[in-house]
């Protein structure tokens, strides 16, 4: 109760997902949604840190906290990197490598049925709805923009050959 702010780490681990087994849903498991809601209801500033490998569905949980840091699986120096971001010693600039869909979409298209090579609506390549967070979403502590630049010629790739840029 005496804390000025809360850093709340939630997510999943390798026992729930991995290269050879997919999760059956995309929500935070167990009592974690209730924990997030209870902490958000305290009125304290909350930074919710997501620890996971695959996409998560946050639903209304994302609306109850002022800050979300998506840390994925951080590796051996993950805690140090997270602390540097949270205390402003490092300016985060990462972009999401996945699309975070709403839970209703994943009820219709289960995680175990996702394919990166065929439609309908699987992966950000085919999805036509509004995701919770789109592939490439990300913020930093500063203001900046990214925009495509004009290239003098077109990029082309031949069968099995690497892409080349002709100038």
């Amino acid at each position: 109760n005496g804390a000025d702010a809360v850093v709340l780490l939630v997510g999943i681990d390798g026992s729930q997902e991995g290269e050879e087994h997919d999760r059956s849903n995309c929500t935070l498991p167990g009592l974690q949604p209730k924990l997030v809601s209870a902490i958000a209801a305290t009125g304290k500033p909350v930074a919710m840190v997501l620890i996971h490998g695959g996409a998560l569905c946050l639903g209304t949980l994302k609306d109850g906290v002022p800050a979300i840091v998506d840390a994925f699986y951080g590796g051996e120096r993950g805690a140090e990197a997270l602390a540097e971001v949270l205390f402003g010693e490092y300016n985060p600039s990462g972009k999401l490598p996945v699309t975070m869909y709403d839970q209703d979409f994943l009820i219709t298209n289960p995680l175990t049925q996702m394919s990166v090579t065929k439609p309908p609506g699987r992966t950000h390549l085919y999805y036509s709805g509004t995701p919770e967070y789109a592939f490439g979403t990300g913020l930093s502590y500063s203001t900046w923009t990214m925009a495509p630049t004009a290239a003098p010629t077109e990029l082309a790739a031949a069968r099995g050959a690497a892409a080349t840029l002709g100038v």
Side-chain angles (χ1 to χ4, degrees):
N1 267 340
D4 294 330
V6 178
V7 176
L8 180 62
L9 281 77
V10 295
I12 54 179
D13 63 26
S15 69
Q16 295 156 321
E17 71 174 355
E19 289 297 323
E20 295 184 15
H21 63 283
D22 290 330
R23 291 174 285 140
S24 60
N25 66 59
C26 59
T27 58
L28 290 171
L31 296 174
Q32 291 182 87
K34 287 183 179 184
L35 175 64
V36 172
S37 295
I39 296 296
T42 66
K44 305 255 183 202
V46 178
M48 181 169 63
V49 179
L50 303 176
I51 308 294
H52 62 105
L56 289 173
C57 302
L58 299 177
T60 58
L61 294 177
K62 71 184 179 311
D63 303 325
V65 295
I68 300 172
V69 176
D70 202 333
F72 285 88
Y73 295 135
E76 68 181 49
R77 298 195 61 196
E80 179 183 350
L82 178 59
E84 289 176 359
V85 166
L86 291 173
F87 289 102
E89 295 171 15
Y90 180 78
N91 186 11
S93 60
K95 304 293 181 214
L96 278 179
V98 297
T99 297
M100 294 194 179
Y101 306 101
D102 63 85
Q103 185 176 3
D104 291 339
F105 172 71
L106 291 178
I107 290 170
T108 307
N109 298 285
L111 288 166
T112 56
Q113 306 287 320
M114 291 293 205
S115 170
V116 295
T117 59
K118 61 185 174 187
R122 288 154 170 78
T123 83
H124 67 283
L125 298 173
Y126 304 110
Y127 183 63
S128 59
T130 302
E132 286 188 354
Y133 296 102
F135 178 89
T137 298
L139 299 174
S140 73
Y141 293 132
S142 59
T143 302
W144 51 274
T145 60
M146 291 175 51
T149 59
T153 58
E154 187 177 315
L155 289 174
R159 278 189 171 140
T164 59
L165 177 62
V167 283

